[in-house]
């Protein structure tokens, strides 16, 4: 009895502690030379490292995230997927929730961990993800949280191992890299008037190499429809589709000058011997939990671990009904938590990260190593490993056989089950397209979001300004209403085709309730459901913080997400491809204009 009382007390004490902790996390940003993939350039380091250090929290913690910027330009830090419940001033978007952090300046973000799961933090001024400002963020669930893990096995022994793995996951950041800085890259776009997308390498936890493949292999890996479009020409030696085939991407309305693209950007592949990330797993654990985070600036990779099927059991930090998958496609900003059984002979297994979109044939590699070690988070780096494990995918991210199981994105049902309201109170139809230049993208359909909009008078602090009340760049909603956002991809002379747009919504998550081809020519979802009920799922839709429109070549398409307005503030809605964001593809959601927050004294500007 005494024992039991004691343990109950201990548990309570632990729970109380984990619910009340104040966590201070301090980062210092510097602009230095670095060579993540073997070639040197100027880049952002966070506390002297790249990627930034992991922030690990318990559910309920109060966080003080202190940023000291020694960067030679303005910056800010955003916590991707963190809802910022009641703290809209800590969301990290210059012009919306704060003034930018100027060179030499500091800023303290304060928020409470009201969610759990895998997230990440990253720079949110201009295109600074391309310069390396990002790091992983884990919030551990409170004790006693219901999980879907028992759906992975019927064996109690296995389940115990799976639960242990879930409590101590390994977060893995997948990113892309170029030898130009984000500003140089944008300058190349503006000078050539092209929407550029060719990059140098893919990184795993900030490590990788420039991999150059023989032209014959690249040609062989080029998908037949693209080969046909290229009409006798080929992808570059970097695996890049030229940025100019009109039928593929470039707007017909704008003249471009490909000679203004700096040499080496689209072609001129020079291999490097960079570093290789090794992720250690201990086979005695039986299972490992690996959380993939896409910190990609432009690319859309598929990830796999040779010979290791995965169970995907959380997306964007929230549990789902587990789904089997040998390969997972990740759009920019997304997270997928994978449970992996460690039942293969001890050795090295290649982790493959390969771009799967038509823009570029490019892959990066890392190693999953079985090692009896207590240092599960000891990430060692050596040269490119020469493991002989059997792949699921090739260098272009395509399955090598028909029995490879890709993650079925239509089956990401929230756990525990949750669903949106059956009808919405308001509908906003956005028209995605090009506006005025090949590199300029619009989210609203009628305006580009200027990079430095409201920097001196952030919207959160000035909700009543004329600009805030009258702008095609602002969606205004009332608190405690349900809102539908229809993302309509428009094809026209400016954009005869469009790549996928991974749109990220700040603050709380939303349900992806419908998608279809063609034009959404209805006034709202209720009306559409009467005509095309098969295009909607209101019972088990996935709950996410990003929503991707499909890449379209032949005709328009649309996707609808529905969310509950619960957290008044000025929130960003934007394409997470960094070049599209800097090209104007963003809007602001003024959520809860009828219940606008009072700004605490310390955040007044
Ligand atoms: C567990 O057992 C049930 C009932 O026999 C079966 O339907 C299910 O597929 C099993 N689950 C797993 C993960 O083996
Ligand atoms: C690529 O090579 C494989 C194996 O040699 C061959 O079967 C396939 O037809 C080739 N594909 C193309 C598009 O050339
Ligand atoms: C393909 O290339 C050939 C030869 O250069 C040219 O005559 C033809 O017009 C091109 N076709 C298209 C559809 O661009
Ligand atoms: C990379 O290393 C290999 C083996 O050490 C060597 O043969 C090759 O020349 C190196 N390549 C470069 C680009 O340094
Ligand atoms: C690294 O390994 C991969 C897969 O084995 C290979 O395709 C790539 O060329 C290698 N890169 C270097 C720089 O050796
Ligand atoms: C990391 O792992 C390597 C090899 O597995 C080992 O030699 C090294 O001592 C470990 N470092 C730490 C800090 O544990
Ligand atoms: C990849 O999978 C698809 C079906 O999912 C199949 O049609 C295709 O043949 C597979 N690719 C190869 C190379 O087997
Ligand atoms: C905005 O206007 C409303 C209604 O007139 C007022 O209640 C509110 O205090 C104003 N907010 C700010 C920040 O000035
Ligand atoms: C709102 O914007 C439109 C278009 O920019 C303009 O014509 C109109 O005068 C503006 N209204 C107010 C009240 O500022
Ligand atoms: C493309 O240019 C034509 C001719 O100037 C113009 O009529 C049309 O509106 C433009 N389309 C777009 C989408 O910009
Ligand atoms: C909507 O578009 C579809 C074809 O995309 C067409 O069949 C239908 O008649 C249109 N409905 C309305 C209300 O315009
Ligand atoms: C906004 O609505 C949510 C949901 O009803 C509610 O919990 C919250 O307190 C409201 N916020 C304000 C500031 O009224």
């Amino acid at each position: 009895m005494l024992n039991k009382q004691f343990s109950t007390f201990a548990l309570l004490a632990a729970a109380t502690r984990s619910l009340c902790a104040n966590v201070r996390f301090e980062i210092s940003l510097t602009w230095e030379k670095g060579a993540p993939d073997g070639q040197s350039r100027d880049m952002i380091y966070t506390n002297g490292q790249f990627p930034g250090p992991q922030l690990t929290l318990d559910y309920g913690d109060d966080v003080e995230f202190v940023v000291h910027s020694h960067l030679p330009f303005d910056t800010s830090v955003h916590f991707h997927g963190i809802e910022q419940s009641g703290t809209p001033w800590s969301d990290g978007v210059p012009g919306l929730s704060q003034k930018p952090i100027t060179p030499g300046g500091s800023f303290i973000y304060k928020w409470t961990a009201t969610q759990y799961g895998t997230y990440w933090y990253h720079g949110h001024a201009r295109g600074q993800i391309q310069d390396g400002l990002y790091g992983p963020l884990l919030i551990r669930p409170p004790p006693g949280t219901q999980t879907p893990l028992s759906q992975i096995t019927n064996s109690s022994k296995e389940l115990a191992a799976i639960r242990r793995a879930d409590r101590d996951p390994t977060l893995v950041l997948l990113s892309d890299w170029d030898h130009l800085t984000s500003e140089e890259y944008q300058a190349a776009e503006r000078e050539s008037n092209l929407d550029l997308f060719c990059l140098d390498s893919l990184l795993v936890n900030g490590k990788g190499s420039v991999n150059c493949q023989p032209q014959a292999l690249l040609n062989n890996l080029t998908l037949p429809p693209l080969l046909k479009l290229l009409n006798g020409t080929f992808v570059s030696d970097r695996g890049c589709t030229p940025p100019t085939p009109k039928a593929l991407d470039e707007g017909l309305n704008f003249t471009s000058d490909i000679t203004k693209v700096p040499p080496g950007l689209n072609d001129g592949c020079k291999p490097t011997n960079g570093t290789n990330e090794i992720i250690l797993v201990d086979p005695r654990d039986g299972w490992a939990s690996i959380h993939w985070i896409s910190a990609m600036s432009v690319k859309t990779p598929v990830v796999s671990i040779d010979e290791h099927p995965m169970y995907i059991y959380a997306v964007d930090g929230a549990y789902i009904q587990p789904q089997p998958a040998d390969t997972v496609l990740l759009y920019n900003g997304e997270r997928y938590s994978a449970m992996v059984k460690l039942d293969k002979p001890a050795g090295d297994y290649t982790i493959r990260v390969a771009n799967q979109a038509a823009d570029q044939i490019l892959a990066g590699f890392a190693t999953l190593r079985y090692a009896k070690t207590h240092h599960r988070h000891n990430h060692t780096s050596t040269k490119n490993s020469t493991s002989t494990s059997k792949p699921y995918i090739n260098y272009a991210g395509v399955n090598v056989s028909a029995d490879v199981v890709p993650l079925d994105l239509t089956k990401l049902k929230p756990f525990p089950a949750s669903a949106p309201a059956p009808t919405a109170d308001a509908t906003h139809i956005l028209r995605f397209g090009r506006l005025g230049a090949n590199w300029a993208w619009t989210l609203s359909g009628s305006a580009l979001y200027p990079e430095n909009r409201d920097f001196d008078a952030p919207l959160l602090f000035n909700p009543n300004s004329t600009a805030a009340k009258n702008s095609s760049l602002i969606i205004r909603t009332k608190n405690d209403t349900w809102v539908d956002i229809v993302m309509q991809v428009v094809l026209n002379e400016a954009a005869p085709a469009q790549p996928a747009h991974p749109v990220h919504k700040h603050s709380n998550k939303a349900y992806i309730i419908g998608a279809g081809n063609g034009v959404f020519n209805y006034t709202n979802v209720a009306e559409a459901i009467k005509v095309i009920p098969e295009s909607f799922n209101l019972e088990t839709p996935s709950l996410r913080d990003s929503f991707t429109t499909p890449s379209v070549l032949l005709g328009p398409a649309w996707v609808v997400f529905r969310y509950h307005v619960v957290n008044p503030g000025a929130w960003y809605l934007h394409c997470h491809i960094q070049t599209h964001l800097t090209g104007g593809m963003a809007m602001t959601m003024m959520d809860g204009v009828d219940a606008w927050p009072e700004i605490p004294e310390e955040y007044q500007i």
Side-chain angles (χ1 to χ4, degrees), residues 151-154:
Q151 293 176 28
I152 296 176
T153 181
N154 280 331

Side-chain angles (χ1 to χ4, degrees), residues 107-329:
F107 194 90
I108 305 179
Y109 296 96
K110 289 187 188 174
W111 48 274
T112 304
T114 54
Q115 306 141 275
Y116 50 82
T118 290
Y119 298 87
W120 58 302
Y121 60 87
H122 64 75
H124 222 314
R126 303 183 64 81
Q128 289 170 16
I129 289 177
Q130 269 185 298
D131 299 315
L133 176 40
Y134 43 83
L137 198 174
L138 174 69
I139 305 172
R140 292 182 291 230
T145 298
Q146 218 192 338
T147 75
L149 297 167
S150 63
Q151 293 176 28
I152 296 176
T153 181
N154 280 331
S155 144
S156 54
K157 190 166 164 244
E158 299 265 336
L159 183 56
I162 287 172
R163 291 215 157 107
R164 273 195 302 276
D166 179 45
R167 280 196 289 273
D168 189 15
T170 301
L171 274 53
V172 179
L173 271 174
L174 309 174
S175 60
D176 52 19
W177 197 247
D178 196 79
H179 299 148
L180 296 182
T181 65
S182 64
E183 295 295 326
E184 289 165 345
Y185 205 89
Q186 284 169 49
E189 288 200 317
R190 278 143 177 80
E191 277 156 30
S192 62
N193 192 14
L194 284 166
D195 182 25
L196 301 174
F197 42 71
C198 195
L199 298 183
D200 287 311
S201 54
L202 297 186
L203 309 178
V204 178
N205 283 341
K207 297 180 191 122
S209 293
V210 179
N211 296 315
C212 303
Q213 302 296 343
Q215 189 70 42
L217 176 68
L218 293 172
N219 296 347
N220 181 288
L221 292 173
T222 306
L223 294 173
L226 177 58
L227 213 50
K228 203 169 150 209
L229 266 180
L230 290 174
N231 188 25
T233 65
F234 297 100
V235 298
S236 76
D237 63 350
R238 285 187 184 289
C240 290
T241 301
T244 48
K246 295 201 183 298
L248 186 71
D249 192 32
E250 192 204 10
L252 303 174
N253 266 18
F254 315 113
T255 41
S256 59
D257 183 355
I258 198 163
T259 64
K260 298 272 171 57
V261 177
L265 194 153
N266 281 318
D267 47 27
C269 195
K270 293 199 189 75
T272 60
N273 285 332
T275 52
N276 181 55
E277 174 71 348
I278 296 177
I279 292 166
L280 302 178
V281 288
D282 190 331
R284 293 171 302 185
D285 292 338
W287 289 77
S289 172
I290 296 182
H291 295 192
W292 308 110
I293 301 170
S294 170
M296 298 280 160
S297 63
V298 175
K299 299 294 152 186
T300 306
V302 58
V303 67
S304 71
I305 309 170
D306 287 1
E307 300 178 37
H308 287 75
M310 302 180 267
Y311 282 96
I312 302 304
Y313 70 100
V315 296
D316 292 353
Y319 287 127
I320 57 162
Q321 312 264 355
Q323 292 298 316
D326 298 327
T327 66
V328 178
L329 179 71

Side-chain angles (χ1 to χ4, degrees), residues 537-593:
N537 173 4
L538 289 169
E539 279 74 49
T540 56
S542 60
L543 180 61
R544 311 215 52 165
D545 50 46
S546 56
F547 332 99
T548 303
T549 55
S551 75
V552 295
L553 202 55
L554 301 174
W558 51 269
V559 174
V560 189
F561 67 85
R562 175 171 294 178
Y563 78 104
H564 190 192
V565 181
V566 294
N567 189 25
W571 309 111
Y572 221 10
L573 180 73
H574 64 93
C575 180
H576 221 276
I577 293 177
Q578 294 294 284
T579 48
H580 293 186
L581 174 58
T582 56
M585 202 163 190
M587 287 182 77
T588 300
M589 307 175 99
M590 288 181 69
D591 271 347
V593 287

Side-chain angles (χ1 to χ4, degrees), residues 29 75 106 112 122 132 169 190 203 210 225 261 333 364 375 398 406 428-429 464 486 532 551 554 570:
L29 303 174
T75 193
S106 295
T112 304
H122 64 75
R190 278 143 177 80
L203 309 178
V210 179
V261 177
H375 304 286
V398 176
H428 299 270
I429 300 179
N464 290 342
V486 180
I532 43 168
S551 75
L554 301 174

